[in-house]
């Protein structure tokens, strides 16, 4: 990596600005599309995963991460699939964690492997962790994840708390008649542990047959109303650099976020791009505009300039926003596990 050539002098300090004036400061890296769970909103029953031979190596992932940081990105989130299932993944955390200019280094995980890895992640410099948890009922957890055991995710949450990350946030996808009755229990769970929580509206990524996404739609506004029956919420202007709108529960340190692609479109303030595990740079979660960075990496193993150039050029194809529509079949065949949340 250190032998690669760069030409930082010829670029402005923050060259990653798109056609709509949005500055890109945030990269999400999916390190694998595989997972030890099969959540019903994320994956279909039968999934075809990318052959391992087509995945970027850990060194290539590091090279891309470093190049983005040199181009002004100051936040990286590692996601998947389940990132902690990728072999030797701590090596990547260790190397990215040392990058100058990276202020916020975060992970999204289902938590099952945190008992094993939480301490190493903290040592590597991970500042905040998002852990997905949609229900506190073991039977339901098994149904929603198709294969999972609630206990393992709860143990993972405890392991993360013990290690002491700056902030832990629970991510909950709420589906009507599935887990909408647990909104306040999930809020209480996070309150009791001094954590934050974000509620996510289901997005129509990939074809699933397990449920009808339109029927399962449960809006952020409805969730807000449910919570306000029990708590006084104060809107805040705080941001973690992502798409969540935040409220604070009065008298506590707990923040409640809403990721509402349907009811409150967040595209105007989009500051992020995503890298898939096979090296496709996706300019929008809800569109297919992308650049194949793997081809460039492999064509120029010792020269970083073409990679930098390709990333800068990609700003010209970042779309204005997504066109999510729950009522029609998705135009995107890509499931969420391919891109990361
Ligand atoms: N496996 C890790 C996890 O579950 O946290 C990381 C990857 S997962 C794809 C990232 C986030 O996306 C999770 O919080 C998950 O609940 C959410 N997610 C998955 N499919 C979704 C969908 N179709 N709509 C909205 N959120 C989704
Ligand atoms: Fe796996 Fe996360 Fe998708 Fe669930 S949401 S199947 S844990 S990648």
């Amino acid at each position: 990596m250190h032998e690669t050539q760069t030409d930082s002098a010829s670029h402005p300090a923050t060259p990653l600005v798109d056609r709509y004036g949005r500055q890109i400061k945030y990269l999400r890296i999916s390190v694998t599309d595989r997972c030890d769970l099969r959540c019903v909103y994320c994956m279909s029953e039968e999934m075809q995963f990318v052959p391992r031979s087509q995945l970027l190596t850990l060194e290539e992932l590091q090279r891309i991460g470093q190049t983005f940081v040199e181009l002004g990105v100051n936040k990286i989130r590692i996601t998947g699939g389940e990132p902690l299932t990728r072999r030797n993944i701590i090596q990547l955390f260790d190397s990215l964690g040392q990058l100058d200019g990276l202020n916020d280094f975060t992970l999204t995980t289902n938590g099952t492997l945190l008992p094993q890895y939480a301490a190493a992640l903290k040592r590597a410099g991970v500042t905040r962790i998002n852990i997905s948890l949609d229900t506190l009922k073991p039977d339901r957890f098994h149904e929603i994840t198709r294969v999972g055991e609630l206990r393992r995710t709860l143990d993972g949450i405890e392991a993360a708390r013990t290690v002491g990350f700056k902030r832990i946030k629970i991510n909950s996808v709420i589906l009507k008649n599935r887990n909408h009755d647990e909104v306040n229990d999930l809020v209480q769970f996070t309150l009791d542990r001094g954590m934050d929580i974000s509620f996510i509206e289901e997005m129509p990524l990939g074809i699933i047959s397990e449920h009808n996404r339109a029927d399962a739609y449960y809006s952020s506004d409805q969730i807000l109303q449910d919570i306000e029956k029990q708590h006084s919420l104060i809107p805040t202007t705080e941001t973690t650099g992502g798409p969540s709108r935040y409220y604070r529960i009065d008298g506590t340190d707990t923040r409640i976020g809403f990721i509402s692609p349907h009811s409150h479109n967040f595209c105007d303030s989009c500051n992020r791009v995503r890298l898939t595990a096979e090296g496709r740079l996706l300019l929008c979660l809800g569109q297919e505009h992308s650049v194949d960075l793997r081809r460039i990496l492999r064509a120029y193993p010792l020269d970083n300039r073409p990679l930098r150039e390709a990333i800068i050029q990609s700003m010209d194809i970042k779309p204005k926003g997504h066109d999510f529509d729950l009522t029609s079949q998705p135009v995107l065949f890509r499931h969420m596990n391919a891109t990361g949340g």
Side-chain angles (χ1 to χ4, degrees), residues 34-39 41-43 80-82 110 132 337:
R34 289 165 200 255
C35 185
D36 52 350
L37 302 183
R38 292 283 182 280
C39 302
Y41 45 77
C42 178
M43 295 196 189
E82 176 45 46
N110 63 30
S132 299
N337 69 304

Side-chain angles (χ1 to χ4, degrees), residues 235-250:
T236 78
T237 50
E238 290 169 73
T239 169
T240 53
S244 279
R245 291 176 296 132
Y246 281 105
Y247 293 76
R248 194 173 279 279
I249 299 188
D250 200 7

Side-chain angles (χ1 to χ4, degrees), residues 16-212:
L16 299 186
V17 178
D18 77 359
R19 291 170 296 166
Y20 306 99
R22 296 172 298 190
Q23 194 174 339
I24 303 309
K25 303 288 278 180
Y26 181 3
L27 172 67
R28 292 192 177 196
I29 303 180
S30 170
V31 296
T32 176
D33 62 342
R34 289 165 200 255
C35 185
D36 52 350
L37 302 183
R38 292 283 182 280
C39 302
V40 294
Y41 45 77
C42 178
M43 295 196 189
S44 61
E45 191 112 35
E46 296 298 322
M47 290 291 290
Q48 287 228 318
F49 296 105
V50 175
R52 288 204 170 80
S53 60
Q54 289 181 25
L55 297 180
L56 293 184
T57 64
L58 295 179
E59 292 72 20
E60 288 170 333
L61 288 166
Q62 199 278 342
R63 193 172 153 202
I64 293 181
Q66 172 161 354
T67 305
F68 267 98
V69 172
E70 287 167 4
L71 288 170
V73 158
N74 59 17
K75 172 170 178 176
I76 291 182
R77 174 174 298 282
I78 303 296
T79 179
E82 176 45 46
L84 299 182
T85 61
R86 174 127 187 206
R87 200 139 59 97
N88 298 328
I89 192 63
I90 294 299
Q91 281 175 20
L92 179 68
F93 282 100
D94 281 340
S95 56
L96 290 178
Q98 290 176 18
L99 292 178
D100 273 346
L102 187 63
N103 305 333
D104 204 7
F105 188 26
T106 65
L107 161 72
T108 303
T109 173
N110 63 30
T112 59
L113 293 170
L114 280 176
Q116 198 176 327
Y117 290 124
L121 292 165
K122 177 78 176 23
R123 271 197 304 275
V126 171
T127 40
R128 296 184 295 117
I129 293 205
N130 289 359
I131 305 173
S132 299
L133 176 71
D134 306 322
T135 173
L136 296 166
K137 298 180 196 282
D139 291 357
R140 241 183 222 185
F141 187 90
H142 185 76
E143 272 172 38
I144 292 177
T145 62
R146 290 197 181 97
V147 291
E149 270 177 62
L150 175 63
R151 173 54 39 210
R152 296 193 59 205
T153 290
L154 295 182
D155 288 349
I157 293 170
E158 281 317 302
R161 291 181 67 216
T162 306
V163 162
F165 291 98
K166 197 159 124 198
R167 212 64 209 166
I168 301 174
K169 185 171 81 166
I170 298 299
N171 273 351
S172 300
V173 176
I174 298 298
L175 306 181
K176 190 168 161 188
N177 295 330
R178 199 78 181 238
N179 62 346
H180 78 261
D181 55 338
E182 283 191 77
V183 164
N184 276 312
D185 293 344
L186 288 162
V187 168
Q188 194 58 48
F189 178 84
T190 53
L191 257 180
D192 292 344
R193 291 163 181 76
M195 305 186 296
D196 298 325
I197 184 164
S198 274
F199 292 102
I200 308 174
E201 290 179 351
E202 184 180 13
M203 302 175 213
L205 288 170
I207 293 176
I208 54 163
S209 51
E210 199 268 350
H211 62 276
N212 179 314

Side-chain angles (χ1 to χ4, degrees), residues 223-237:
I223 296 172
L224 189 64
Q225 279 178 30
D226 295 348
I227 300 171
E228 280 180 326
K229 284 183 191 143
Q230 297 201 6
H231 300 282
S232 161
L233 296 185
I234 303 164
T236 78
T237 50

Side-chain angles (χ1 to χ4, degrees), residues 27-33 50-57 60-62 64-65 68 86 274-283 289-298 307 310-311 314 338-339:
L27 172 67
R28 292 192 177 196
I29 303 180
S30 170
V31 296
T32 176
D33 62 342
V50 175
R52 288 204 170 80
S53 60
Q54 289 181 25
L55 297 180
L56 293 184
T57 64
E60 288 170 333
L61 288 166
Q62 199 278 342
I64 293 181
F68 267 98
R86 174 127 187 206
R274 294 175 159 82
L275 181 72
T276 69
E278 71 267 46
R280 227 176 119 205
L281 180 66
L282 277 165
L283 283 309
H289 305 66
S290 68
V291 179
D292 179 2
L293 294 186
R294 185 182 58 185
R295 187 185 58 75
I296 298 165
L297 276 175
R298 293 187 182 172
L307 178 64
I311 294 171
S314 74
T339 330

